[in-house]
Amino acid sequence: MKRTFSRVVGPLVVAWFALNLYRASLPVLLPEFRRLYGIEYGDAGVVFGLLFAGLALSQLPSGLLADAVGDVRVMGTSIVGASLTLALFGATRSLLGFGVLAFTFGVFVGGFRSVAISAVTKKVPATESGSALGLMASGNPLGNLVGPVVTAAAVLSLGVSQTPLALGLVGVVLSVGVWWLLATGAGQDGGQDPQGVERGEATSAIGETRGRLSLVVRTLSTRRAILVVFVSLAFSAAWQGVFTFLPSFLVETKGLDLGRTGLITGITFGVGILFNVGAGRLADRIGHERVMFGGLVVSSSGLLLLPSAGEILSVVAILVVFSAGLSSIPPARDAFIGSLAPAADRGSVVGGVRTVYILLASGVTVVTGTVIEYAGFTAGFRFLAVLLLLGVTAGFGLVRQNGAVTQELVSD
């Protein structure tokens, strides 16, 4: 188990961190893009909606491809492609250019994420998958902690145009190193999948692909999958909305400069490091459903209070509560989704489930931007809080399913 964590989970933590640092840099750049290029909140909602749409649409194809040619090849290509795409953000000046790059960036990030989740659930015993996924997911809040601070400092020293280029080129070097570590370590440990994380040859026969697509459709029709899609939609919509518009909220309604905005944004999402790891361990003990339900209750409470907070300290405290609740959800959710399919087809099923809820959440991000543009931040954040409350209802439905993850498709 220790070898698996060091040779597989370790490099994935680094890659997860880098990709989230990249993604965390874009909302911090948004106020500057608005100032320089006249981008409105509705336009920003469309751009970030395209980012999340790319992330969503890449989930199933990357899962199918990983099941055919191997997880490591897909993950390695994805992290290098995301780095190169980020570097190009500094060269564009048009809304169309931002949209195309955002979609492409989302495709590469999404291609990595679903395959990484599948790879971990194949390599780690089911009784410890929550802990492993929690450790891997800790790269998410760590990237969100460091990303805004690094981006704000880079903008002040290098300028808006040079910052994405610098981050992207450094990321290319890091990505190649991670790819090498995954390639040398992934196939050396035993795990749940008898074929191993890395398959030596492509087996993408049309019949096999159709069989996996059929499995995805049947999985999505089960009650557990439907409920976890609603839970995940609420999580993703809230996370994407706050992630996208929080820096602008702090700059325009609280009068903060870019440096303090980056610091508060980093603190908000950085809090999740402890909760990612802790919630993963807790989920292994008390059940994934209970952890998801609790996280939704806490995060919805925080988001409902955010618009009415006056002092900066109150804003930070509420954001910490919101982030703590939200960050506890991914390890339990990912382990739960990974349990819905056999190991050999897990990449396809994980990708299919993630495609549905992330694509729906990308549409919500566009709506959120429009609501903020015409009705203000208070209306926008409360709109997202209502979605979280709907997620609470779905989470409660999962808890009522006995709190145990079982395989519904064994008889198929």
Side-chain angles (χ1 to χ4, degrees), residues 2 6 38 44 136 146 149 162 169 191 215 225 244-245 255 276 283 301 377 380 383:
K2 291 182 178 179
S6 62
M136 183 177 72
V146 176
V149 178
Q162 297 301 317
L169 292 182
L215 178 63
T244 301
F245 296 108
N276 269 145
S301 301
F377 286 101
F383 165 68

Side-chain angles (χ1 to χ4, degrees), residues 38-123:
I39 297 177
E40 300 296 334
Y41 286 121
D43 298 332
V46 171
V47 169
F48 281 93
L50 286 170
L51 188 157
F52 297 123
L55 194 151
L57 293 174
S58 63
Q59 302 286 320
L60 180 56
S62 64
L64 290 169
L65 188 61
D67 286 339
V69 305
D71 297 334
V72 171
R73 290 190 181 97
V74 177
M75 290 188 292
T77 302
S78 296
I79 55 180
V80 172
S83 301
L84 292 173
T85 305
L86 177 66
L88 295 175
F89 269 93
T92 189
R93 298 292 183 272
S94 68
L95 184 62
L96 176 61
F98 283 122
V100 171
L101 289 176
F103 180 81
T104 305
F105 180 76
V107 167
F108 284 122
V109 173
F112 171 83
R113 287 197 162 202
S114 65
V115 177
I117 292 168
S118 172
V120 170
T121 57
K122 291 175 185 176
K123 297 294 290 183

Side-chain angles (χ1 to χ4, degrees), residues 84-219:
L84 292 173
T85 305
L86 177 66
L88 295 175
F89 269 93
T92 189
R93 298 292 183 272
S94 68
L95 184 62
L96 176 61
F98 283 122
V100 171
L101 289 176
F103 180 81
T104 305
F105 180 76
V107 167
F108 284 122
V109 173
F112 171 83
R113 287 197 162 202
S114 65
V115 177
I117 292 168
S118 172
V120 170
T121 57
K122 291 175 185 176
K123 297 294 290 183
V124 178
T127 55
E128 299 176 342
S129 61
S131 300
L133 288 167
L135 181 61
M136 183 177 72
S138 68
N140 190 336
L142 182 60
N144 292 332
L145 170 65
V146 176
V149 178
V150 169
T151 302
V155 169
L156 294 174
S157 60
L158 300 176
V160 178
S161 298
Q162 297 301 317
T163 295
L165 177 63
L167 292 175
L169 292 182
V170 170
V172 169
V173 177
L174 177 66
S175 299
V176 171
V178 169
W179 193 343
W180 179 80
L181 289 173
L182 288 172
T184 56
Q188 298 179 20
D189 296 291
Q192 295 178 28
D193 185 2
Q195 297 179 5
V197 172
E198 178 64 80
R199 302 181 183 188
E201 299 178 356
T203 58
S204 54
I206 294 177
E208 186 175 347
T209 300
R210 285 178 176 171
R212 288 190 174 120
L213 287 173
S214 176
L215 178 63
V216 170
V217 172
R218 284 182 288 141
T219 300

